[in-house]
Amino acid sequence: MKKYAAWIVLTAAALLLLGWMPFERSDVARLAPVEALVVSVEQGRVVLDGGDCQGRGATWQEAWQDLRQGAEGQVFLGTAEQVVLTGSAVELLPQVANSGVLRPAAQVCVCPGPAPDPKQAAAYLSAHETGVTLQRVQAALLRGDDFSLPVLTETEGGLRLYAAANR
């Protein structure tokens, strides 16, 4: 009988501790998942476009906060499989790679022209691997190595991925 009482006390203590642990809870119905994140700079302001949600700010961090606050739910970048940097937004690459809000396996590419539609970019890049991930970019930045990013361009009504271009 003492054996069972000890297990009951330990189980109750574990449940009590787990109830007080600081877990972040999310209502799944309120999640706003992002497939592709397009990062651009317009009139000196950083623009983050996730398709159904957008954020603007003077810095990457401000744009990320605006994206989170302006969305119709809780923005979830853990599902983002692609990050597209347009124009001068390539300079934000170290901040993007080290932000901690994007998954390390997300593909990265640069788009020299106008910002593509995030949903169209997600569909195209899902079928065409870039070969460069945020994790690889982050490692190259830490080592101080040079690296190249694939180039995504808009063609006659579609997208095309070209070999990496030097950064």
Side-chain angles (χ1 to χ4, degrees), residues 27 29-33 52-53 67-76:
D27 181 6
R30 291 191 31 85
L31 287 179
D52 295 330
C53 50
L67 179 76
R68 288 180 56 205
Q69 293 171 354
E72 289 187 25
Q74 183 179 351
V75 176
F76 186 60

Side-chain angles (χ1 to χ4, degrees), residues 30-103:
R30 291 191 31 85
L31 287 179
V34 174
E35 280 187 80
L37 183 67
V38 176
V39 182
S40 56
V41 176
E42 295 176 4
Q43 300 171 352
R45 297 185 55 81
V46 178
V47 178
L48 303 180
D49 188 356
D52 295 330
C53 50
Q54 268 195 356
R56 296 176 183 274
T59 64
W60 159 266
Q61 192 63 30
E62 286 180 20
W64 164 237
Q65 291 300 325
D66 185 51
L67 179 76
R68 288 180 56 205
Q69 293 171 354
E72 289 187 25
Q74 183 179 351
V75 176
F76 186 60
L77 291 181
T79 56
E81 293 186 26
Q82 297 89 14
V83 178
V84 179
L85 302 159
T86 65
S88 62
V90 174
E91 296 170 9
L92 298 170
L93 187 57
Q95 294 173 36
V96 172
N98 295 317
S99 68
V101 296
L102 293 161
R103 55 186 283 225

Side-chain angles (χ1 to χ4, degrees), residues 79-165:
T79 56
E81 293 186 26
Q82 297 89 14
V83 178
V84 179
L85 302 159
T86 65
S88 62
V90 174
E91 296 170 9
L92 298 170
L93 187 57
Q95 294 173 36
V96 172
N98 295 317
S99 68
V101 296
L102 293 161
R103 55 186 283 225
Q107 299 179 68
V108 184
C109 65
V110 63
C111 182
D117 175 60
K119 291 182 180 186
Q120 185 181 11
Y124 180 81
L125 291 171
S126 290
H128 301 85
E129 291 286 324
T130 66
V132 179
T133 63
L134 278 176
Q135 184 175 18
R136 285 186 179 187
V137 168
Q138 193 174 32
L141 288 170
L142 286 172
R143 289 190 309 260
D145 292 347
D146 289 333
F147 58 92
S148 299
L149 294 175
V151 177
L152 181 69
T153 59
E154 196 164 346
T155 60
E156 300 168 9
L159 297 171
R160 184 167 178 133
L161 188 65
Y162 291 97

